[in-house]
Amino acid sequence: MSRAKPEDDEYWNSSKFSAFTFDDEDDEFTKMKESKRAVNSILVDDDDDDDDVEKVSWSGEPIGTKSKPFQSFSESFTDTSTRAYAPELRKPKSECKDYMSDWSPEETVRRMRKGRAYSLERFRSLQDKLLLLDEAVSLHDGNVITAVLIYLKRSLSKEILFRELMVREVALRHYVHYLKEMGEQKLLVELMKALGRTEDMALMQYKEHLNIKDEGRRRDFLKSCLSLPFSQDDAMHVQDHYTLLERQIIIEANDKRGEAEIFRKYPRKASILNMPLITTLYYSCFYHYGEPEGTFSSPANIRKTFRISEKQYILTALGARAKLKSWFDVDSLFNTKNWLGYTKKRSPIGFHRVVDILQKNNAPAQVLQEYVNLIDDPELRLSLAQKYKCHDIVIDTYKDLKDRQQLIVYQGKVERGSHEDRKIEELINNMQIRWKN
Amino acid sequence: MAAHLSYGRVNLNILREAARKELREFLDKCAGSKAIVWDEYLTGPFGLIAQYSLLKEHEVEKMFTLKAGRVPSADVKNIIFFVRPRLELMDIIAENVMSEDKLQPPREFHILFVPRRSLLCEQRLKEQGVLNSFTNIDEYILDLIPYDGDLLSMESESAFRECYLENDQTSLYHTAKGLMTLQALYGTIPQIFGKGECARHVANMMLRMKREFAGSQNQILPVFDTLLLLDRNVDLLTPLATQLTYEGLIDEIYGITNGYVKLPPEKFAQKKPGEGGKDLPTEPKKLQLNSAEELYAEIRDKNFNAVGAALSKKAKIISAAFEERHNAKTVGEIKQFVSQLPHMQAARNSLANHTSIAELIKDITTSEDFFENLTVEQEFMTGVDTDKVNTYIEDSIAQKDPLIKILRLVCMQSVCNNGLKQKVLDHYKREILQTYGYEHLLTLNNLEKVGLLKPQLTTRNNYPTIRKTLKLWMEDANEQNPNDISYVYSGYAPLSVRLTQLLARPGWRSIEEVLKMLPGPHFEERQQLPTGLHKKRQQGENRTTLVFFLGGVTYAEIAALRFLSQMEDGGTEYVIATTKLLNGTSWIKSLMDRPEAQIL
C-alpha cells in the first residue's frame, strides 16, 4: 500500500460526517453479563424426571443403588455413589445395558469416546495394554488417549512405560502434555532424559524460574540450571541470565539506600531486579557512569562481561547521558584520537540517529548542529538541518552541492538582513563558484 | 436476530439453530431457576449463539463472572458453571463450591464444559474434594461457531500451538468432529482435498468416523461440493504480513474479538442536546462488525486505500436520499419518505462510525513507522536482502519497539529466506535477549520448533521458486479495482489462497513441484454418496468449496477468498472455516511462553 493519495486526502479533510450522532445500541450480551435483575424467589421442586435412564458416571460406574460390578480405570472416581451424574443428553438408553461384556480394545475406546461405561482393568498383560493404547491413539481423541495413559502410568513400571512410549510418538506427546498440565516436573525431566531429548528437558527445567518470585531463590535456581545440557548457544544465554541477576542483586542492595547525590536528584522509579540487560546498562550509565571498570555496577564492566556490541553500548550510553544533559559525556563517546593526536568524531551508528536521540532529549542548538554537520549523506544532512533549523549547515551543504537555485529558495526562509541572509547573498553573487544551475 | 447468517451461499443459520437447541436442552435438564457463572472467555462465543432472552426463557435469572471466593448470593435453585476445560478454572470452581454459605438453602451445582469435558479437570475437582457436589457434569460441543454468512470458527486460541508446537492433536479431533456435525446438517461432502500433516490427520479421522456411522446413510443433498483442508504451516508467511484490507487493519490495530471491536472513544463522542459540557467518554467504544451492516459488508474486504473513495461515494448517496424530502409533495410521497427514514438513519450512523474508524486507521497507516515497517515487509516478500541483518529491525530493537513486532519481522525474513544464515540468526537472537530479557529464550525456541525461525541448513533457498511459480508477488496491484487477490496485501498474494485458487482451476497437478517444496503431503479423497443424492449441476452453476484453515486464518485471506467467490467467471464460491481467526500479533503471542513480559 502506498501512502496517502491526494484524492483521498480531500475526502478525509473535507469529511463532515464525523460529527454525526449515533444511537448507542446496547447489545444484549453486555446486559446479559452484568445482569442485575431482581431474582424471583420461586423455588421449583426438585423433580428430576429422567430416573428411568440408568445413571452412569463418565468413568463408567453406574450410579445409585446398583453395586459396582467392576473397578473403573480410575479409582479416584469410585466414591461417586452419593450424588448422581446425569447421563449425556444424546445417549440412547439402550447403550448402557451391556457394560459387563468383555469388550475388545476397539469397542472399549469407542465407548470411552462416547462417554459410555467401560473398564480398563481387564487389560492386564502388557500386550493388551499396548493394544489398547494403540487403538486409543488411532482415534486421536486426546481425552481418551490421556485416560489410557493414566491407567498405564499407574499399572506399568516407569521404565517399561517410557520404553514403549519411545516408539509411540503420538502417545508420548500426550503423555508429556499430561505431565506438564499436572505439574509433574520431576517425572517429566526423567522422561526427557530417558528419551535423550536433553535440550528439551533443559529448557523445560529453565522455564521453572519464571515461577520463582524471590530474587535470591531465583538466582540460585538459575545457577543450578547452568549444568543442564543446553545447546551451546542457549547455555551461553542462560549463563548470562544468571550472571545478570547476580549482578542486579548486588547493585540493588547498594542502590536501594540511594545515598549518592544522583539518587537524590533523580530518585529511582523502580528496582533494577529482573530487568533486561540493556535496561541494566542504561541504568548503569545513568547512575554509575565513570566508575572504574573494576566495580560491578560500572558500564565498562557490564559491557565487557556481557560482550555488548559497540553499537548497542553507544546507543544506550548516549541515551542515558543525553537524558542527564551531560553534553560533555556525549561528546567524549564519539571522540577518537588518530595517530597524529587529533581528535576526530566517529560513530558505529549513523550520526542522523545520534541527532534524533539528542533532539528527543532537548539538546541545545549548538550541540545539535555539531552532530548534524557530521552526517555523511548530504541529502540526509540537509533534511535534518532544515528540520532543526541549522541554517549554516543548510547553506554550506547547498554550496557544496553547487545548487544555486535551492540556495535562493532557502533565502526566502531566513530572516531578512540576518547573518544567514547576508551569507546567502554573498554566495549567490560569488562568481568564483561554478554553480550547476 | 442472525439473519445475516442465512444470506450466503450456504445457510449457516441451520448450524446456529442446532447449537441453540442443544443449549436449551441442557438448561431444561437443570430444572428450576438458575444462575450462570461464566468463564469470561466464553461469553464472546456464546453471544454469537444465544442472547440473554433465550437464557431468560429457560429460567436463567442471574449471571456472574467466575471469580475466586464465594458465588454471589442469588435466590436460585441451580448454579451452573459454563467453563472451558482448564485446570486453573477447576480450582476456582472448587473454591466457589466450598465457600458456599451453609446457612442458606442449598443450591444445586452443575458444570457445562465447552467444548468438551475433560478427564483431567474432573480429576482435579475430585482431588479438591468437590466432584460429588455436582448434579450434572456435561459438555456443550461448540465446535464450529458461525461468525458470518460465509465464515465459521472454532475460536480455539491455542490450536496452532497445540498442533505444531506441543504436537497435541486434540484440536484436530475436534475439527473432524465439527466437520462431521456440519456434514450431518449439510450433507456428505463428496470430495476432500488437503495439504499438510494435520490436514491428512483430519481427513483420516473423518473417513474413519464415517465408516463407524456406516449404518445410517446421510440422506441430505450435499450443499458443499468440495472440502479443502489446509495446514497453517504450509503457509507461514501470510499471517506475518500486515493485512491491508479495511477489516484486516481494524484487526491488526485494535483486535476483533468475537465479531466486536473496541475503539478509542474520542472520535465517537456523542453530542446530544443538553449534555454540552460533558467530558469526553473514557469507556472504549464497542462496535459489532459483520455483514448484517450493509456498508460494512461493502467495504470490509477492500484495500484500505480504496475505502476513502467508497465512503465518500456512500456519503453522497445518503445526502441525496435525505434531500429527497424536498421533492416529497403529496401525502403519499411524504409517507413513503418517512417509512424509509429508519433505514436511512441507520445508514447514516453506519457511515459516521466507519468514517471515524477509517480516520483512526489512517492516522496510523500514514505514519512514518507504519510505512517503514511495510517497506521492510515488502522487501522481504520480494526477496530483497533477506540474507543480511536488516537495519530497520536492528533499529527497532534499539528503540525497544514491541517485541512481537520484532518477532514478526525476524520470522518473516527467515521464512522468505528459507531460514537465516547462522550468523544472522545468532545476531538477532542476542540482540533480542539482551534487550527484552533472557527468558525470551523460551519463546525463540518455540518459534524454531514450529519452523517460523530457523537456521538455513542448505544453501538452496526455495522461496523465490515458490514465489515465482505461484505468482505470490504482483507488481502494480490494483487497490481500487482489483483483478487479483494480491490486492489484499498491496502486492502479495497470500500463498494459502493461491493454492485454493489453483486447486479450482486448473488443478493441483499443474503445481506438483511447488507442492512438494511445501511441508506435508497433499492428497485427494472421495466420499461415496448414496444414489440419488448426486447433484445435477445447472449450466453455469457455481461449485461450493469449504476451505478449512487448520491453525488459523487472517481477515485478509478471508477477503481474498471472498474476492474469488465474487469473480464473474470464477465458478467457485467459498465458505471459510478455521480453528481461530488470527493476525500476526495474536498468532506470535500464542507461541510465546510469557506473553505478558513483552509489555515493556
Side-chain angles (χ1 to χ4, degrees):
Chain A
M1 183 158 75
S2 55
R3 273 195 284 179
K5 298 218 167 94
E7 61 266 41
D8 274 353
D9 278 323
E10 195 187 297
Y11 173 68
W12 300 110
N13 299 334
S14 65
S15 159
K16 293 184 185 70
F17 295 92
S18 45
F20 276 151
T21 63
F22 7 75
D23 302 317
D24 202 10
E25 293 164 14
D26 261 350
D27 60 288
E28 266 185 288
F29 212 71
T30 334
K31 282 188 218 154
M32 166 166 120
K33 227 166 68 187
E34 299 304 333
S35 151
K36 299 232 171 15
R37 297 175 67 250
V39 181
N40 290 332
S41 52
I42 314 152
L43 269 169
V44 180
D45 283 322
D46 184 3
D47 53 355
D48 223 353
D49 51 11
D50 56 354
D51 37 21
D52 287 342
V53 185
E54 184 177 31
K55 288 182 177 160
V56 178
S57 85
W58 187 65
S59 58
E61 276 92 7
I63 289 165
T65 50
K66 289 199 176 175
S67 62
K68 282 171 262 165
F70 52 77
Q71 281 289 94
S72 118
F73 76 94
S74 163
E75 283 158 351
S76 56
F77 285 97
T78 51
D79 55 349
T80 49
S81 49
T82 45
R83 294 293 284 269
Y85 294 151
E88 280 191 38
L89 280 176
R90 290 165 296 279
K91 193 186 299 166
K93 291 177 190 180
S94 60
E95 295 284 352
C96 298
K97 281 184 185 148
D98 52 349
Y99 55 79
M100 291 285 282
S101 325
D102 201 16
W103 293 311
S104 63
E106 289 93 331
E107 182 62 12
T108 305
V109 294
R110 208 175 63 81
R111 297 189 71 90
M112 290 169 83
R113 198 177 71 185
K114 303 231 158 114
R116 290 174 197 152
Y118 65 93
S119 157
L120 298 183
E121 300 296 325
R122 58 162 290 270
F123 297 93
R124 288 212 184 80
S125 72
L126 176 62
Q127 201 200 352
D128 282 352
K129 286 173 185 169
L130 294 175
L131 274 175
L132 182 69
L133 180 61
D134 292 340
E135 194 57 37
V137 166
S138 72
L139 273 187
H140 299 280
D141 183 340
N143 225 354
V144 174
I145 299 172
T146 307
V148 172
L149 283 169
I150 293 172
Y151 171 62
L152 263 52
K153 176 174 179 250
R154 218 191 50 203
S155 63
L156 289 175
S157 80
K158 216 163 46 192
E159 290 72 23
I160 293 174
L161 180 59
F162 287 3
R163 188 191 71 204
E164 294 301 333
L165 286 177
M166 271 181 224
V167 292
R168 288 172 174 78
E169 180 68 15
V170 176
L172 175 66
R173 295 166 191 162
H174 281 274
Y175 192 59
V176 169
H177 186 72
Y178 165 72
L179 293 180
K180 270 188 198 164
E181 278 276 295
M182 301 307 287
E184 295 209 39
Q185 189 68 16
K186 244 180 93 186
L187 194 56
L188 196 54
V189 170
E190 273 182 65
L191 174 63
M192 290 292 151
K193 220 183 259 175
L195 292 169
R197 283 169 54 180
T198 49
E199 284 180 25
D200 283 347
M201 175 205 80
L203 284 168
M204 215 173 268
Q205 190 97 306
Y206 167 75
K207 186 178 173 178
E208 279 297 290
H209 84 268
L210 294 172
N211 300 324
I212 303 172
K213 294 276 170 303
D214 177 76
E215 64 270 10
R217 284 190 44 232
R218 193 181 249 219
R219 176 199 54 205
D220 297 343
F221 180 84
L222 286 172
K223 191 174 184 186
S224 76
C225 286
L226 297 180
S227 57
L228 295 172
F230 290 104
S231 71
Q232 211 182 336
D233 288 345
D234 288 354
M236 186 182 73
H237 296 311
V238 173
Q239 170 75 54
D240 284 347
H241 190 176
Y242 162 69
T243 314
L244 178 63
L245 182 58
E246 191 188 30
R247 263 325 147 76
Q248 288 172 334
I249 291 173
I250 297 168
I251 298 172
E252 181 67 19
N254 279 318
D255 293 359
K256 208 160 47 182
R257 296 188 296 266
E259 278 157 359
E261 166 79 24
I262 180 125
F263 292 109
R264 277 196 294 276
K265 211 167 156 197
Y266 304 97
R268 304 189 318 159
K269 290 195 185 87
S271 116
I272 192 62
L273 295 171
N274 296 316
M275 292 296 164
L277 175 62
I278 296 300
T279 313
T280 311
L281 177 65
Y282 181 91
Y283 175 95
S284 152
C285 290
F286 195 94
Y287 289 111
H288 298 277
Y289 206 66
E291 283 178 13
E293 202 185 312
T295 52
F296 275 161
S297 49
S298 71
N301 192 304
I302 291 174
R303 178 183 182 180
K304 201 172 156 200
T305 309
F306 297 96
R307 307 167 308 280
I308 294 170
S309 68
E310 193 192 10
K311 215 165 160 180
Q312 277 277 31
Y313 177 79
I314 297 280
L315 267 173
T316 312
L318 172 64
R321 299 325 285 173
K323 182 97 195 160
L324 287 165
K325 314 220 175 297
S326 310
W327 310 121
F328 176 78
D329 291 339
V330 168
D331 224 34
S332 37
L333 270 177
F334 301 103
N335 283 343
T336 48
K337 281 203 170 73
N338 68 7
W339 56 279
L340 283 172
Y342 294 118
T343 53
K344 192 178 180 289
K345 288 237 178 335
R346 201 184 61 82
S347 166
I349 49 173
F351 277 109
H352 63 283
R353 298 208 44 214
V354 177
V355 170
D356 266 351
I357 294 169
L358 291 173
Q359 194 272 333
K360 277 186 192 127
N361 288 292
N362 304 318
Q366 83 258 29
V367 174
L368 217 51
Q369 177 154 346
E370 190 184 349
Y371 287 91
V372 172
N373 217 1
L374 288 165
I375 299 171
D376 266 342
D377 177 26
E379 293 294 323
L380 205 55
R381 193 191 322 139
L382 259 177
S383 82
L384 283 181
Q386 287 182 341
K387 195 164 155 193
Y388 303 128
K389 305 213 166 14
C390 308
H391 300 303
D392 281 336
I393 298 175
V394 177
I395 296 164
D396 291 344
T397 308
Y398 282 138
K399 182 188 141 202
D400 293 345
L401 293 171
K402 315 224 182 298
D403 196 335
R404 192 166 179 267
Q405 291 306 318
Q406 285 295 335
L407 213 49
I408 293 169
V409 172
Y410 199 72
Q411 194 174 23
K413 292 179 188 163
V414 300
E415 210 179 309
R416 265 281 163 90
S418 65
H419 151 76
E420 291 84 15
D421 186 35
R422 285 198 303 276
K423 186 168 168 182
I424 295 175
E425 198 59 36
E426 261 172 47
L427 280 171
I428 52 182
N429 294 324
N430 187 337
M431 291 305 161
Q432 306 288 72
I433 303 171
R434 298 178 60 180
W435 299 105
K436 72 172 182 189
N437 49 25
Chain B
M1 208 58 241
H4 62 286
L5 295 180
S6 42
Y7 294 156
R9 170 86 178 188
V10 175
N11 182 359
L12 295 181
N13 227 351
I14 298 174
L15 183 65
R16 184 172 179 269
E17 277 309 319
R20 287 163 69 89
K21 184 163 163 271
E22 281 209 27
L23 182 59
R24 283 193 215 106
E25 280 172 4
F26 173 78
L27 290 172
D28 289 343
K29 209 157 77 168
C30 313
S33 59
K34 27 197 154 309
I36 295 177
V37 181
W38 287 98
D39 168 357
E40 212 162 6
Y41 181 85
L42 290 177
T43 55
F46 261 85
L48 296 160
I49 298 296
Q51 276 70 29
Y52 186 37
S53 52
L54 181 144
L55 301 176
K56 218 159 50 178
E57 280 162 26
H58 294 265
E59 296 180 83
V60 174
E61 295 178 348
K62 289 231 170 179
M63 310 258 231
F64 305 109
T65 306
L66 183 63
K67 270 196 279 255
R70 183 182 287 184
V71 179
S73 66
D75 198 358
V76 290
K77 185 165 165 285
N78 301 285
I79 301 280
I80 312 174
F81 295 95
F82 277 34
V83 286
R84 288 167 296 165
R86 296 221 169 171
L87 290 177
E88 65 274 17
L89 299 179
M90 296 308 109
D91 295 343
I92 301 177
I93 291 179
E95 199 185 330
N96 279 183
V97 171
M98 284 186 295
S99 42
E100 182 75 350
D101 192 346
K102 300 285 182 301
L103 300 173
Q104 296 294 319
R107 306 188 280 193
E108 277 191 41
F109 290 102
H110 314 265
I111 298 184
L112 189 63
F113 282 113
V114 185
R116 286 287 187 290
R117 56 197 293 175
S118 127
L119 168 73
L120 293 186
C121 287
E122 286 168 54
Q123 206 175 37
R124 177 62 68 93
L125 291 172
K126 168 75 185 71
E127 281 161 19
Q128 300 268 20
V130 294
L131 189 68
N132 294 342
S133 315
F134 295 95
T135 314
N136 280 304
I137 295 185
D138 221 316
E139 62 185 8
Y140 184 60
I141 305 173
L142 197 59
D143 283 329
L144 284 165
I145 307 164
Y147 268 68
D148 220 315
D150 57 356
L151 178 61
L152 301 161
S153 173
M154 296 169 68
E155 281 311 279
S156 158
E157 262 182 312
S158 51
F160 183 85
R161 186 185 170 108
E162 282 168 18
C163 288
Y164 301 97
L165 181 63
E166 285 157 2
N167 291 309
D168 177 345
Q169 290 157 351
T170 309
S171 63
L172 297 181
Y173 171 72
H174 293 172
T175 304
K177 290 288 260 184
L179 282 164
M180 295 312 283
T181 311
L182 214 59
Q183 291 188 95
L185 295 170
Y186 298 97
T188 304
I189 307 175
Q191 228 179 357
I192 304 175
F193 290 93
K195 170 71 186 164
E197 291 292 347
C198 295
R200 185 66 263 184
H201 272 302
V202 170
N204 286 349
M205 280 188 274
M206 285 173 69
L207 297 173
R208 181 174 173 141
M209 288 172 189
K210 184 164 185 270
R211 279 201 299 278
E212 283 175 17
F213 289 117
S216 56
Q217 285 277 15
N218 186 338
Q219 291 301 336
I220 298 169
L221 193 69
V223 173
F224 297 103
D225 300 287
T226 307
L227 165 66
L228 170 59
L229 296 159
L230 277 179
D231 273 40
R232 183 73 271 175
N233 82 336
V234 169
D235 172 13
L236 292 171
L237 173 56
T238 302
L240 294 170
T242 304
Q243 307 171 68
L244 298 177
T245 56
Y246 181 51
E247 188 167 45
L249 276 166
I250 295 178
D251 189 42
E252 293 277 345
I253 299 166
Y254 299 107
I256 302 174
T257 31
N258 299 304
Y260 284 88
V261 65
K262 282 183 181 166
L263 299 157
E266 298 79 26
K267 292 247 182 196
F268 300 91
Q270 292 188 44
K271 284 179 196 135
K272 279 185 184 159
E275 291 181 61
K278 239 183 155 186
D279 289 339
L280 283 173
T282 47
E283 283 280 296
K285 169 93 178 166
K286 200 173 166 194
L287 282 176
Q288 190 169 21
L289 300 172
N290 62 41
S291 56
E293 190 184 347
E294 195 187 313
L295 174 62
Y296 188 61
E298 217 172 285
I299 58 174
R300 67 196 301 184
D301 299 321
K302 286 188 187 299
N303 183 293
F304 187 65
N305 276 342
V307 167
L311 287 175
S312 162
K313 202 172 114 198
K314 192 78 178 177
K316 281 181 195 132
I317 294 170
I318 292 175
S319 301
F322 274 98
E323 284 308 307
E324 282 289 301
R325 71 177 182 275
H326 299 303
N327 302 332
K329 298 279 191 300
T330 69
V331 173
E333 280 167 353
I334 291 170
K335 225 173 158 183
Q336 165 89 11
F337 178 82
V338 169
S339 73
Q340 282 169 359
L341 260 181
H343 176 75
M344 284 161 59
Q345 264 153 358
R348 192 166 68 169
N349 286 345
S350 165
L351 179 65
N353 281 342
H354 288 291
T355 304
S356 301
I357 297 174
E359 280 170 356
L360 285 168
I361 292 176
K362 193 153 193 280
D363 286 346
I364 289 162
T365 55
T366 50
S367 71
E368 196 68 31
D369 196 53
F370 185 89
F371 185 70
E372 280 180 62
N373 187 75
L374 197 62
T375 308
V376 173
E377 282 184 12
Q378 299 197 339
E379 279 172 11
F380 288 161
M381 289 191 286
T382 46
V384 177
D385 286 344
T386 49
D387 55 349
K388 299 190 189 100
V389 171
N390 180 285
T391 343
Y392 177 72
I393 296 180
E394 255 190 332
D395 290 353
S396 302
I397 294 174
Q399 287 169 35
K400 280 210 165 198
D401 282 355
L403 177 57
I404 291 185
K405 167 187 167 173
I406 310 294
L407 295 176
R408 271 177 85 159
L409 285 172
V410 173
C411 288
M412 185 183 235
Q413 188 178 351
S414 172
V415 172
C416 292
N417 199 53
N418 195 21
L420 294 168
K421 282 188 183 152
Q422 192 69 50
K423 244 179 70 191
V424 175
L425 181 61
D426 288 347
H427 177 79
Y428 282 141
K429 274 177 147 182
R430 197 179 59 238
E431 298 268 297
I432 288 170
L433 295 175
Q434 290 187 342
T435 307
Y436 297 94
Y438 288 105
E439 65 273 20
H440 294 293
L441 189 61
L442 295 161
T443 297
L444 294 176
N445 266 287
N446 290 348
L447 295 174
E448 283 196 48
K449 279 191 191 128
V450 300
L452 274 166
L453 199 60
K454 58 180 183 187
Q456 201 174 46
L457 295 174
T458 57
T459 43
R460 268 260 302 284
N461 172 12
N462 57 21
Y463 175 70
T465 316
I466 297 171
R467 187 185 72 231
K468 280 173 208 150
T469 317
L470 298 182
K471 297 197 174 64
L472 297 185
W473 186 263
M474 304 293 277
E475 286 300 335
D476 344 295
N478 189 337
E479 294 167 345
Q480 305 292 331
N481 297 300
N483 48 16
D484 180 72
I485 56 169
S486 54
Y487 85 93
V488 298
Y489 288 97
S490 294
Y492 167 70
L495 195 159
S496 57
V497 183
R498 205 51 120 202
L499 288 180
T500 311
Q501 187 182 14
L502 288 166
L503 176 67
R505 199 185 293 170
W508 276 358
R509 212 160 287 164
S510 60
I511 50 162
E512 284 276 340
E513 289 304 310
V514 171
L515 282 173
K516 277 183 200 145
M517 289 178 188
L518 299 168
H522 56 282
F523 60 88
E524 178 184 354
E525 298 282 354
R526 282 177 188 277
Q527 300 198 92
Q528 280 304 317
L529 294 178
T531 40
L533 288 187
H534 290 281
K535 212 156 137 187
K536 286 174 199 71
R537 202 178 308 282
Q538 304 291 320
Q539 184 70 31
E541 191 190 335
N542 282 346
R543 300 173 59 82
T544 306
T545 296
L546 175 66
V547 190
F548 205 122
F549 289 84
L550 303 165
V553 68
T554 64
Y555 287 99
E557 285 169 302
I558 294 168
L561 284 168
R562 286 185 182 141
F563 171 79
L564 291 180
S565 291
Q566 284 155 16
M567 278 206 333
E568 268 180 31
D569 53 351
T572 307
E573 285 188 48
Y574 295 96
V575 174
I576 303 125
T578 183
T579 51
K580 176 86 179 94
L581 294 162
L582 51 75
N583 58 49
T585 300
S586 62
W587 189 37
I588 296 284
K589 211 181 221 168
S590 79
L591 292 168
M592 292 178 79
D593 253 324
R594 203 186 162 206
E596 70 276 16
Q598 60 89 33
I599 304 157
L600 287 163

